[in-house]
Amino acid sequence: MSDIGTSSERPAPAEILEEKQTTAQPERQVFLREGTVILRWLFGYYDGRNLPGWKKPPNWPQTLSTWRAQKPKTKFKDVTLVGIDIDELQEQDDGMPIKFHIGISILHTKQLHDLCHASFPLTDSQTSIIRSYHWAVQDDQYFSRNDDRFCFGKRRCIPLSSLEECLKKLLGPFDPLILVVHGISRERIVLRKLNINLNPMFEIDTTKAARYPLQELHDSTLRKLLRDFGIPLADGLLHFAGNDAHFVLRALLMISVRDARRELKNIPAWVPVFEAVARAPLPPIPLTLAQKAAIKTRDKEIAKLQDELDQFRERWMNELKSRKKSD
């Protein structure tokens, strides 16, 4: 006889089983990260009473001046944002960097402050205020074999021995500075191994700073941030140091915008300015090696056809002349 038929216990309905197996999951809270708090302090909307997850407010440096204006009133700290990105890294067996590409982008708060007092709508030239650089370090043959995808300026090849001097010459006039990266480990490690200290006042990692404004429990890729913030992007531009260093500053501006819109009742006058800079149109995209080769081939074919046409015209003119003589 079947055991099922003689069982005195009735099978539990499926929904009861599901109820037993389901345990209440507490809602996870997204806490403020240091980078977001730094942005609030930097752009003048910091409130030490509203710091979810913080036991006590941070101690801020008292040496910075503040750009102030009456209409509209901004409270930006006088500091320079410097985006850094490193790609194409090659190391020795001992881990010492020997070849890589570094991107640097520069944006001073004074430029943002000035735009807050410009007439709207802002022009493309007004919003193109992020200065960007791409340096191929100890890799002067790279662009003869690979596409130049840097679209925010002219790339440059430099020897590794000159990197520190070039960085200090470029960034020297912009002290104090805040270093901005998307995932800070590689840039920090490479610069430390090379004994290069840029002496930043703070370091902001946009993967962390974006979490609270976006209410994300996990880090976002740079591509996702650009998409979420409506920042224009073309295929093939990311994972190229100069471009990434540029885009990370655009993303930083939009992190502040999203945070301010979330936290403040009255939207500051700088919000549309930051949006205009972050979402400014992209400059022309450099041609790939394949595109350049195709253009060169096309130009040769056009030149060949033109030469054949000239020869035909010359023969035809000669034929006309000979006919006139015979007549």
Side-chain angles (χ1 to χ4, degrees):
M1 185 178 292
S2 170
D3 290 337
I4 295 178
T6 59
S7 174
S8 60
E9 296 183 4
R10 298 180 61 184
E15 58 268 19
I16 296 178
L17 288 175
E18 291 177 358
E19 184 177 342
K20 288 181 179 179
Q21 294 172 357
T22 302
T23 57
Q25 296 292 331
E27 184 178 352
R28 296 179 65 183
Q29 186 175 358
V30 181
F31 292 111
L32 272 175
R33 296 301 184 101
E34 182 182 67
T36 317
V37 178
I38 292 172
L39 289 177
R40 293 181 177 186
W41 169 79
L42 176 63
F43 295 124
Y45 66 105
Y46 168 77
D47 183 356
R49 299 165 298 178
N50 181 25
L51 299 174
W54 289 62
K55 294 182 179 180
K56 61 179 181 178
N59 294 319
W60 301 111
Q62 302 298 319
T63 56
L64 288 186
S65 59
T66 301
W67 300 109
R68 293 186 180 275
Q70 295 301 317
K71 294 181 180 180
K73 188 174 183 180
T74 62
K75 297 180 180 179
F76 300 164
K77 299 298 185 292
D78 180 8
V79 69
T80 301
L81 298 166
V82 177
I84 295 283
D85 185 82
I86 290 178
D87 284 322
E88 303 290 339
L89 176 62
Q90 295 183 29
E91 300 174 316
Q92 296 178 156
D93 293 339
D94 61 359
M96 194 66 181
I98 55 175
K99 183 186 296 186
F100 55 90
H101 291 205
I102 183 169
I104 309 104
S105 286
I106 300 171
L107 177 60
H108 199 290
T109 55
K110 177 65 164 60
Q111 296 170 291
L112 295 169
H113 168 84
D114 290 343
L115 278 184
C116 289
H117 303 88
S119 300
F120 263 72
L122 299 175
T123 64
D124 291 349
S125 61
Q126 286 178 300
T127 56
S128 301
I129 58 175
I130 300 176
R131 294 168 50 191
S132 299
Y133 306 85
H134 181 103
W135 296 345
V137 180
Q138 208 67 34
D139 197 7
D140 56 356
Q141 298 300 314
Y142 178 86
F143 292 105
S144 64
R145 307 183 306 270
N146 299 277
D147 294 332
D148 178 7
R149 293 178 286 150
F150 183 46
C151 67
F152 296 106
K154 292 185 178 181
R155 41 86 174 174
R156 177 184 174 192
C157 298
I158 64 172
L160 181 59
S161 58
S162 300
L163 176 61
E164 182 175 12
E165 179 185 355
C166 291
L167 282 172
K168 290 185 175 180
K169 183 178 180 180
L170 177 66
L171 301 177
F174 300 107
D175 184 69
L177 59 85
I178 293 177
L179 203 61
V180 184
V181 295
H182 189 79
I184 199 168
S185 58
R186 174 184 287 182
E187 288 72 22
R188 178 186 288 160
I189 290 171
V190 169
L191 293 177
R192 185 175 66 239
K193 286 181 177 179
L194 295 173
N195 293 318
I196 297 176
N197 185 4
L198 301 179
N199 297 309
M201 176 173 289
F202 295 111
E203 294 177 352
I204 298 178
D205 182 350
T206 51
T207 64
K208 309 301 182 187
R211 281 195 180 191
Y212 186 81
L214 292 175
Q215 288 295 288
E216 294 278 3
L217 292 170
H218 306 288
D219 294 345
S220 296
T221 64
L222 183 54
R223 183 182 298 276
K224 182 179 183 301
L225 288 185
L226 300 181
R227 183 178 66 246
D228 290 348
F229 291 143
I231 297 172
L233 177 66
D235 291 340
L237 293 186
L238 287 183
H239 306 297
F240 202 73
N243 294 338
D244 287 5
H246 179 97
F247 283 124
V248 78
L249 289 189
R250 291 196 185 208
L252 186 84
L253 296 179
M254 289 304 297
I255 290 171
S256 293
V257 166
R258 184 66 63 89
D259 188 50
R261 288 190 180 278
R262 175 183 172 82
E263 298 298 313
L264 304 178
K265 292 182 179 179
N266 298 319
I267 303 302
W270 51 261
V271 163
V273 172
F274 283 25
E275 290 175 328
V277 174
R279 293 169 175 166
L282 296 177
I285 309 301
L287 296 175
T288 64
L289 293 177
Q291 289 172 326
K292 291 178 181 178
I295 292 174
K296 189 175 182 180
T297 300
R298 183 197 63 189
D299 290 345
K300 285 183 177 179
E301 292 176 350
I302 292 175
K304 181 180 178 181
L305 289 173
Q306 184 64 48
D307 184 59
E308 292 175 352
L309 180 61
D310 291 341
Q311 292 179 20
F312 174 79
R313 183 182 292 111
E314 185 178 358
R315 290 195 302 269
W316 183 63
M317 294 298 294
N318 291 336
E319 180 68 22
L320 286 178
K321 290 179 181 178
S322 62
R323 288 183 180 181
K324 287 182 179 180
K325 288 181 180 180
S326 61
D327 292 342

